[in-house]
Amino acid sequence: MKGEEIQAILLGLLYVRGDEGIEVKEAADILETSESEADAQLTNCQAYVETRVPGLQIHKAADKYRLVTDKTIAPYLAKLTESPVRSKLSQAALETLAIIAYNQPIGRAEIDDIRGVKSEKAIQTLANKKLISEAGRAASIGRPILYQTTVHFLEAFHVTSLEELPPLSEDATEESALEAEQFFQSLEGET
């Protein structure tokens, strides 16, 4: 193989691996060469990217190489990758999220019954923001999808477990549902 082919292969491997990176030994196995040769080729790729690919770098830590973005473009990447959770949730989405958090796993029909209106759009929004996910299917007719909150939900609302949510009263009145909604609204402002 020519040097350019090896660089193309290594850059492809680095790209596909992302944050995980690639170890020298693994690169050697893939290229069917020695570890010292693989390390030398990765170092060549590092120099190539540094001089010819603005905005990217190959970073070596211990025995692992990673393709990373240059620190100078970090502010622009931050704008691009800003979490969609950081945008405000609608009242409907907050209501739906509170219902799911306190009644999970729960199906859309039950959510609709509790809210008194359709929740399809709110559920879609929450799923797109990775605040809820499918928890399986109900054993009832039609096998409807059941929803649950995600780890991302916990992170976004700065709680470590569902037990940290404010307790609902036994009768789960509208007042206690309003308290739960207000809890989510207050935390949403911090996300």
Side-chain angles (χ1 to χ4, degrees):
M1 262 189 279
K2 294 180 182 177
E4 289 177 1
E5 288 178 85
I6 293 171
Q7 281 185 351
I9 292 166
L10 290 173
L11 286 172
L13 294 172
L14 289 165
Y15 176 77
V16 169
R17 275 300 176 85
D19 287 341
E20 190 179 327
I22 189 163
E23 292 182 2
V24 173
K25 182 182 182 333
E26 189 176 18
D29 290 343
I30 292 168
L31 294 173
E32 298 176 352
T33 189
S34 68
E35 286 184 38
S36 61
E37 178 61 24
D39 192 42
Q41 291 295 340
L42 283 161
T43 301
N44 290 343
C45 278
Q46 191 175 28
Y48 175 84
V49 168
E50 186 176 307
T51 59
R52 296 189 182 169
V53 186
L56 295 179
Q57 296 178 344
I58 295 178
H59 181 261
K60 181 180 181 183
D63 205 26
K64 188 178 277 193
Y65 287 83
R66 291 185 315 130
L67 185 63
V68 298
T69 54
D70 193 319
K71 292 177 185 175
T72 60
I73 64 170
Y76 305 100
L77 296 175
K79 288 179 186 178
L80 175 68
T81 61
E82 189 172 282
S83 171
V85 174
R86 297 203 184 280
S87 61
K88 295 284 184 191
L89 293 173
S90 68
Q91 187 66 31
L94 282 171
E95 289 171 7
T96 304
L97 185 58
I99 291 166
I100 293 170
Y102 283 96
N103 298 289
Q104 60 187 305
I106 186 171
R108 194 179 90 216
E110 292 91 353
I111 296 167
D112 292 350
D113 286 344
I114 294 169
R115 288 192 64 227
V117 294
K118 292 191 178 236
S119 303
E120 186 174 351
K121 186 167 177 13
I123 289 171
Q124 174 110 28
T125 297
L126 295 170
N128 288 342
K129 293 178 183 261
K130 300 190 181 355
L131 295 172
I132 63 169
S133 65
E134 290 185 16
R137 299 255 179 187
S140 60
I141 295 173
R143 309 240 331 122
I145 297 169
L146 299 174
Y147 297 96
Q148 65 186 2
T149 56
T150 63
V151 172
H152 189 67
F153 160 81
L154 298 174
E155 293 169 349
F157 287 95
H158 308 292
V159 292
T160 56
S161 72
L162 294 173
E163 286 75 37
E164 290 183 28
L165 298 178
L168 292 178
S169 62
E170 289 296 318
D171 58 351
T173 62
E174 279 188 37
E175 185 178 311
S176 62
L178 182 60
E179 289 173 14
E181 242 176 88
Q182 289 171 341
F183 172 76
F184 286 118
Q185 284 175 334
S186 69
L187 291 178
E188 184 190 24
E190 298 173 15
T191 62

